[in-house]
Amino acid sequence: MNYQNTPGAPGAPVRSGIPEHGRVPKYYAVKAKLTVMVDELGEGGLLPTERDLAVRYEVSRETVRQALRELLLEGRLRRQGRGTVVAGPKLEQPLSLASYTEGVRRQGRRPGRSLISLDRFPCPEALAPEVGARRGEPVWHMERVLLADDERVGLESTYVSEARAPRLDVEFDPDSSFYAYLHERLGISFGTADERIETVLATPREALLIGTPPALPMLLLHRVSRDTAGRPLERVRTLYRGDRFSFTAHLGEQS
């Protein structure tokens, strides 16, 4: 593979995304130049204004705006007040039974959660097999905003039967790890889990809670967990900011 014209190689797109016919869209040419500027400025560096960039690269402000928009969506930049600054690296969340808290701490960030609601409701038929409850039995639903160094980065909904956590509303600190609570307070350990990941756009309510534009792509993770005895334990729906998260997994040959 020829990396000669690929900034940031190896690992960058082949030929920097240039079409085979060789005609590069103006916005993409500006984006390539801005990428170099981003690397030179480093995290927290302030970019020139759209007007200054348009003059520098001899293009329209709309062309600059489109290039900036893509870099914002990719998580390379972020808005700060009325300006645009270089964003820090994305958080890497492992696809494992480790909790969000553990994953964030491993990267030197301070994890946190802000409770939105904790409700109890009769279990619907579709949810019953996933949390090990019968239809109509009480189930907890806990919704929390995910934080990393006080930055809102996601939204988490957890469903667990009341029988498994009867005093969740009085014993559990919503800013802490639910996994740690189950293990240390209730003696319940996670055994296996099934996960599914897809890309979505946040609803207006979700975007407001996370503090992002509705058009920002999100990574949606569905998880159904079981304890070490194989009994259903919880169902989790977690929405992660696409510009702040990536997922990692260690793969091995199946026996």
Side-chain angles (χ1 to χ4, degrees):
M1 184 178 294
N2 180 12
Y3 290 108
Q4 183 177 356
N5 297 319
T6 307
V14 177
R15 295 188 62 200
S16 303
I18 299 172
E20 298 308 314
H21 55 56
R23 295 189 296 274
V24 182
K26 283 186 178 181
Y27 87 89
Y28 193 87
V30 173
K31 179 184 175 183
K33 294 174 182 177
L34 287 174
T35 300
V36 175
M37 180 185 294
V38 165
D39 292 337
E40 292 174 347
L41 287 173
E43 182 177 350
L46 179 65
L47 266 70
T49 66
E50 289 182 2
R51 177 181 296 175
D52 291 341
L53 290 171
V55 171
R56 177 182 300 193
Y57 299 131
E58 299 180 337
V59 296
S60 70
R61 290 184 65 177
E62 179 54 37
T63 298
V64 170
R65 195 171 294 125
Q66 184 175 356
L68 290 172
R69 190 181 303 123
E70 288 205 359
L71 290 171
L72 284 162
L73 290 175
E74 292 172 6
R76 300 298 307 276
L77 302 174
R78 61 182 174 85
R79 299 295 189 189
Q80 182 171 291
R82 298 181 61 130
T84 303
V85 300
V86 179
K90 288 188 178 184
L91 290 161
E92 294 184 0
Q93 185 70 2
L95 292 174
S96 68
L97 286 174
S99 71
Y100 167 80
T101 299
E102 296 169 7
V104 173
R105 279 179 178 161
R106 276 202 293 264
Q107 295 169 78
R109 305 286 295 275
R110 186 178 72 257
R113 292 177 173 89
S114 176
L115 182 66
I116 301 301
S117 63
L118 176 59
D119 304 309
R120 186 168 40 197
F121 64 97
C123 185
E125 185 171 354
L127 182 63
E130 297 181 332
V131 297
R134 292 190 178 93
R135 178 181 177 182
E137 290 182 343
V139 169
W140 293 111
H141 171 232
M142 179 168 55
E143 186 177 39
R144 298 181 290 174
V145 172
L146 302 178
L147 307 171
D149 292 340
D150 296 324
E151 178 188 12
R152 289 178 286 175
V153 294
L155 184 65
E156 178 183 77
S157 288
T158 302
Y159 301 86
V160 62
S161 71
E162 185 188 48
R164 281 299 188 105
R167 294 175 54 81
L168 183 66
D169 57 336
V170 295
E171 288 184 344
F172 178 62
D173 176 7
D175 186 42
S176 64
S177 167
F178 182 57
Y179 285 26
Y181 168 74
L182 290 176
H183 179 69
E184 297 169 7
R185 190 69 181 254
L186 303 181
I188 300 174
S189 297
F190 285 77
T192 60
D194 294 319
E195 289 186 331
R196 176 168 57 88
I197 302 174
E198 57 185 307
T199 56
V200 298
L201 296 178
T203 66
R205 176 181 179 271
E206 291 168 337
L208 182 64
L209 289 172
I210 302 173
T212 59
L216 180 71
M218 297 282 180
L219 297 168
L220 176 59
L221 186 145
H222 303 269
R223 172 183 282 193
V224 177
S225 304
R226 292 167 288 274
D227 62 19
T228 51
R231 295 174 297 181
L233 181 54
E234 66 158 5
R235 190 197 195 292
V236 180
R237 179 187 185 275
T238 311
L239 201 61
Y240 294 96
R241 286 178 53 167
D243 64 334
R244 299 303 297 130
F245 269 92
S246 63
F247 289 97
T248 61
H250 175 73
L251 306 178
E253 184 178 0
Q254 292 184 337
S255 58

